[in-house]
Amino acid sequence: MKAAHLYVTTVVCALFMVSCFTGVESTGKITLPEESKAEKQSPEDAFIESYFVQQGCDTWRIGKLFYYTDDKLSLVFRPERPTFPDSVSLKGKIFTYSGSIEESPFGGDNKVVLLFECEGYKFRYETGKTRDEITRLKYTPLIPPFIDIDDLNMARSLLKGRTLYIKTPMWYDEKSEAIEGRKLVPVKVLDVMPGNNVLPVKVWFEDDKGNQAGVFMSLLSSARSQYITFDRLFSFDDPRQQYKEILDDAWEQITLGRVKPGMTKAECKLSLGNPNEVKKIPTYSGLKEQWIYNSGAYLFFADGLLTDYRL
């Protein structure tokens, strides 16, 4: 009986100890406090969140303007007239919000229909939601060809004339065709213009060598968007100040997204990003390291310095 009692006591204690180390009990210890989360937000992301706040379409004023980026009428719209002429291009046109009505399809709950006008034509957007749902969800319809002109004007007033530091070498010319650019260099914002169906804003700038180009972005914060956002493209601070130990000739290669023999691993990573695969290669002279990128590029290092590469 004593042995049985000892066995039961041991099992109970073991179960008690296991329960003490479950994820539920330890959750409170690993949850970051709100202050820590706020500290991780970049100044650039905080900048966007403070000026571009999500608002539902129930707050839209009559006469609110939208820039249209597509040639053809989006499938989400229904023209008031039975047909809309295909010959009419809508690209660059301005749509004006003219209000909303409620309709009860098939005798169900009243659903909100948003109304728009463009150069004499009238259009309807059926939200499929009641007014209560729109208010509660801060609902705004996703209409890809639309660019909110209020947001565009706000972005222009905040950014035009400012000097920023660009993080990407993927630049675009006046025809929106991709060109080779530079990164981590100062650029002066010359204008903020309508973008495209995916990225509604085009930031046009001039770099420190007099080259003009643009990049496309979303006005959402990166926390709420998977698209290219302001904080992923620009920095308020000069990144060169973080890497004062890097010599000027190596820094020039980094801004061009290039490498040259003698560069360190840190410099190459700053220029090309993290490799997709790293291999250790034993040789007679010692251990070499190979970095492999999905683009087909590879780098070879010996004693921590770049010896050979292919881009």
Side-chain angles (χ1 to χ4, degrees):
M1 287 293 291
K2 288 184 179 179
H5 180 269
L6 178 62
Y7 173 78
V8 171
T9 303
T10 303
V11 171
V12 169
C13 290
L15 290 172
F16 175 78
M17 291 179 68
V18 169
S19 70
C20 289
F21 292 97
T22 62
V24 175
E25 285 76 13
S26 61
T27 299
K29 297 179 181 178
I30 63 174
T31 300
L32 292 173
E34 289 302 317
E35 309 88 72
S36 299
K37 292 180 180 178
E39 287 173 6
K40 290 183 177 294
Q41 186 182 47
S42 70
E44 296 78 19
D45 205 2
F47 168 80
I48 289 296
E49 278 204 353
S50 63
Y51 287 103
F52 300 96
V53 181
Q54 183 180 6
Q55 295 179 331
C57 58
D58 60 324
T59 66
W60 287 356
R61 70 186 186 281
I62 303 297
K64 185 175 177 63
L65 303 178
F66 297 88
Y67 181 96
Y68 202 85
T69 61
D70 210 348
D71 282 314
K72 301 299 182 183
L73 183 65
S74 172
L75 295 176
V76 301
F77 281 123
R78 211 171 70 194
E80 289 276 331
R81 298 178 184 176
T83 58
F84 182 74
D86 291 335
S87 59
V88 177
S89 173
L90 291 171
K91 192 167 187 176
K93 304 289 187 182
I94 302 298
F95 276 62
T96 304
Y97 175 63
S98 56
S100 66
I101 58 175
E102 293 181 73
E103 292 182 346
S104 177
F106 311 112
D109 294 336
N110 285 337
K111 305 292 184 179
V112 174
V113 178
L114 305 179
L115 306 176
F116 299 90
E117 294 182 5
C118 178
E119 298 189 347
Y121 295 98
K122 296 184 178 182
F123 305 91
R124 299 158 48 92
Y125 179 91
E126 297 177 2
T127 67
K129 300 186 182 301
T130 65
R131 288 206 185 275
D132 286 343
E133 289 174 326
I134 287 176
T135 301
R136 186 176 71 255
L137 301 172
K138 292 186 178 179
Y139 170 79
T140 294
L142 177 62
I143 306 175
F146 264 14
I147 296 174
D148 189 324
I149 290 184
D150 288 339
D151 284 348
L152 189 67
N153 289 338
M154 173 64 79
R156 182 181 294 116
S157 69
L158 292 170
L159 298 176
K160 187 174 181 179
R162 292 190 69 160
T163 296
L164 305 170
Y165 297 87
I166 192 158
K167 296 181 178 180
T168 175
M170 297 177 62
W171 296 3
Y172 296 86
D173 62 16
E174 291 178 336
K175 297 180 180 179
S176 296
E177 295 179 354
I179 59 175
E180 285 190 19
R182 300 157 65 218
K183 63 179 180 179
L184 308 179
V185 297
V187 296
K188 182 178 181 180
V189 178
L190 302 178
D191 201 1
V192 177
M193 311 176 234
N196 53 44
N197 290 8
V198 178
L199 299 169
V201 172
K202 182 177 183 179
V203 180
W204 190 254
F205 55 80
E206 181 176 274
D207 70 6
D208 54 342
K209 294 186 176 181
N211 302 308
Q212 293 190 11
V215 291
F216 294 91
M217 71 176 190
S218 165
L219 285 174
L220 294 173
S221 70
S222 59
R224 300 202 312 259
S225 174
Q226 61 181 336
Y227 296 115
I228 299 172
T229 50
F230 178 75
D231 66 304
R232 291 174 178 147
L233 292 175
F234 296 103
S235 170
F236 292 133
D237 299 320
D238 184 357
R240 185 73 172 97
Q241 298 305 309
Q242 301 176 41
Y243 304 99
K244 294 181 179 180
E245 73 282 0
I246 298 179
L247 299 177
D248 289 343
D249 58 342
W251 185 258
E252 180 66 19
Q253 296 299 313
I254 291 170
T255 64
L256 295 170
R258 300 174 187 170
V259 295
K260 69 173 187 177
M263 290 177 67
T264 66
K265 293 180 184 179
E267 290 168 348
C268 292
K269 189 176 291 185
L270 196 57
S271 180
L272 301 180
N274 292 320
N276 299 100
E277 184 181 356
V278 175
K279 292 183 178 180
K280 305 288 186 180
I281 305 172
T283 68
Y284 289 110
S285 58
L287 192 65
K288 288 190 174 182
E289 190 169 297
Q290 182 184 19
W291 287 9
I292 302 170
Y293 291 83
N294 284 344
S295 63
Y298 62 77
L299 311 179
F300 284 101
F301 296 90
D303 298 324
L305 299 178
L306 184 67
T307 59
D308 194 14
Y309 66 91
R310 184 188 73 184
L311 299 181

